[in-house]
Amino acid sequence: MSESAATLMVDLIISLDGYASAEGWPGWWGLEGPEYLAWLEEEGKKDFTTLMGANTYRVMSSMSEEASEAGSGFSEEEGASLSGLAAMPKIVFSSTLKEPLAWPNSELISGDAVKAVRELKRTRTGTLSTLGSLSLCRSLLTAGLVDRFRLVVFPVITGRTGSERIYDGYPDVALELVNSRTFDGRSQLLEYIPTVIDGPPPARRG
């Protein structure tokens, strides 16, 4: 990779048992704390371009707009994190949405996402980071395009109510841990370099 090329990070929040959300539970499973929200705000100031699919675009643009209004019901920290997304550059992959997109700083790409992201990595700088969009993340990882795989694991098991299983359909992936952190004494950030592999490594001898 050349020095000017962008890096691609898949960025996910999950329950301990690997769900992206759970029926009846609030966002972040109701476990977001001040350290985590402050970290989100700082991350939002970095040179990131956010990648997402159409469903995530619809949900997050609506939440961002709501958070910017008085009496939204969001806490001050939640509101700052959500409304701040409007200022970030965003790329939306969809064959159903039409331009112009209402959410500020949003660019629409209607073609093949994997092909488009491969070209974005070559021509852009900074960090391309996914937001939600589980099928997009899976496709990019399977294609070997992901440079960083970052999770924030929330301390909850949602075996009965969990929805959106993250790892279904994934290839086998070897992960090298490069960063970790605990937020608010309960949520764990884990950042890895991923390598897609054909299957289990050979058994060690001796």
Side-chain angles (χ1 to χ4, degrees), residues 131-190:
L131 177 65
S133 310
L134 300 186
S135 60
L136 174 64
C137 295
R138 181 171 57 245
S139 297
L140 297 175
L141 185 68
T142 301
L145 294 176
V146 178
D147 302 294
R148 289 287 190 274
F149 191 77
R150 188 170 74 177
L151 310 169
V152 177
V153 183
F154 283 79
V156 62
I157 293 172
T158 54
R160 185 172 62 85
T161 56
S163 60
E164 297 183 293
R165 288 170 56 89
I166 285 177
Y167 303 120
D168 286 358
Y170 267 47
D172 286 3
V173 185
L175 299 169
E176 177 189 350
L177 183 67
V178 293
N179 188 26
S180 64
R181 177 179 172 181
T182 301
F183 298 111
D184 305 294
R186 57 176 178 255
S187 299
Q188 185 75 36
L189 179 146
L190 300 168

Side-chain angles (χ1 to χ4, degrees), residues 32-95:
E32 73 281 12
E35 288 182 6
Y36 176 64
L37 291 171
W39 175 78
L40 281 181
E41 186 175 356
E42 287 302 311
E43 287 294 290
K45 298 175 183 177
K46 295 181 178 179
D47 183 19
F48 283 4
T49 298
T50 303
L51 311 182
M52 69 189 78
N55 289 339
T56 298
Y57 170 84
R58 293 185 182 99
V59 171
M60 296 307 297
S61 60
S62 176
M63 289 178 65
S64 178
E65 182 179 0
E66 181 183 352
S68 66
E69 298 173 353
S72 66
F74 292 105
S75 70
E76 183 178 347
E77 293 86 356
E78 290 171 329
S81 176
L82 289 167
S83 59
L85 288 170
M88 293 183 67
K90 297 169 286 291
I91 297 176
V92 184
F93 299 95
S94 174
S95 59

Side-chain angles (χ1 to χ4, degrees), residues 13 20-32 63 78 154 156 158:
I13 60 172
S21 62
E23 184 179 352
W25 290 72
W28 296 304
W29 293 273
L31 295 171
E32 73 281 12
M63 289 178 65
E78 290 171 329
F154 283 79
V156 62
T158 54

Side-chain angles (χ1 to χ4, degrees), residues 88-108:
M88 293 183 67
K90 297 169 286 291
I91 297 176
V92 184
F93 299 95
S94 174
S95 59
T96 56
L97 294 173
K98 303 298 181 184
E99 290 184 316
L101 296 177
W103 204 10
N105 302 302
S106 297
E107 173 186 349
L108 179 64

